[in-house]
Amino acid sequence: MQSATAPAQRKVPRPRADALRNRERIVTAAREMFVELGPDVPLDDIARRAGVGNATVYRHFPDREALVREVVCFVLDRTAEAAAEALAETGDAFGALERFVHVAADERVSALCPMIAGAFDQSHPDLVATRMRFEQLVDEVMERARQAGQLRDDVGYGDLMVAVAQLSRPPAGTACLSADRFLHRHLQLFLDGLRAPARSVLPGAAVTMEDLRQA
C-alpha cells in the first residue's frame, strides 16, 4: 500500500507511433524542399509534401526556426552515423573516407547547412551538441587516412566540407535532382586530388573548423 505522504509516480507519456511517423515525414519533406527551394519555402507546401495537415506541422514545430533547426540536426546526425561507420571499418582508411564523402553528398549536409545558416540561433544546445559530434567524427576519419599515409597533409576539415558543399549544390538554373548524375563523378575527381603523395603544393594553409566558424 502506497504511503499517504509519498507523491504518486507519474509516467511520462511516450509519443504515439503515428505521431513519430508524422514528425519524420515532416522533417524529410522539409529537408527536400529546403535543398530544392531554400529555407523560405511555405510551411503549407511542406505539409502537403509530407502528406499531413497544417495543424500537424505546427503541433510538432511551433515556428519555422524550430523546424529548420530540427532538419539541420537530423541531417548532421545521419551524416555523423556514416562517419562513425567509416571509423568502424578496418580496411582501407582512404576508402572509408571516400565512402563517407559520397554519403555526405547524398544527404546534402554541406549544401543544406550553409544555405540556412542565418535562419536560427546557431548557439542552440541541440545544434551545438550535434555539430560537435559531427565535426569530431569527420576529423577522426580524416586523421586516420592521414596517419595511414593516404591523405595529403596540407588539407583540413574545412577544405573537405567546403568542397563537398560546392559539389553537392546544384548549378544555377538546373533542377536539384537532374544534377545528381554528375555529383559522384565530380566528387571522385576531388577525392583523387586529396590522395597522398600529393602532386602539387596548395596555396595558403589547411582550412580548419575554426576558420569556417569565423568565416
Side-chain angles (χ1 to χ4, degrees), residues 56-69:
T56 301
V57 173
Y58 286 104
R59 186 160 54 248
H60 287 279
F61 304 102
D63 52 37
R64 181 181 299 274
E65 177 177 326
L67 177 56
V68 170
R69 183 173 60 248

Side-chain angles (χ1 to χ4, degrees), residues 8-9 13 34 64-65 70 78 103 105 128 138 141 144 146 167 170 173 189-190 204-205:
Q9 295 296 317
F34 287 161
R64 181 181 299 274
E65 177 177 326
E70 180 69 14
R78 283 171 58 95
V103 171
V128 171
V138 175
V141 172
R144 193 175 69 165
R146 192 177 291 113
L167 291 171
L189 285 170
F190 163 71

Side-chain angles (χ1 to χ4, degrees), residues 88-94 96 99 144 150:
E89 296 182 16
T90 58
D92 177 21
F94 195 88
R99 284 186 286 278
R144 193 175 69 165
Q150 297 175 303

Side-chain angles (χ1 to χ4, degrees), residues 165-183:
Q166 296 299 323
L167 291 171
S168 61
R169 186 174 296 127
T174 64
C176 181
L177 297 179
S178 68
D180 277 356
R181 59 196 177 107
F182 308 118
L183 171 59

Side-chain angles (χ1 to χ4, degrees), residues 168-207:
S168 61
R169 186 174 296 127
T174 64
C176 181
L177 297 179
S178 68
D180 277 356
R181 59 196 177 107
F182 308 118
L183 171 59
H184 293 287
R185 173 183 173 85
H186 295 160
L187 274 176
Q188 196 59 48
L189 285 170
F190 163 71
L191 285 163
D192 285 349
L194 296 185
R195 281 189 178 273
R199 295 188 176 183
S200 62
V201 177
L202 294 176
V207 180

Side-chain angles (χ1 to χ4, degrees), residues 1-9:
M1 181 176 179
Q2 186 177 12
S3 170
T5 60
Q9 295 296 317

Side-chain angles (χ1 to χ4, degrees), residues 28-40:
T28 299
R31 168 189 173 274
E32 294 171 355
M33 299 193 78
F34 287 161
V35 171
E36 294 171 15
L37 304 171
D40 295 326

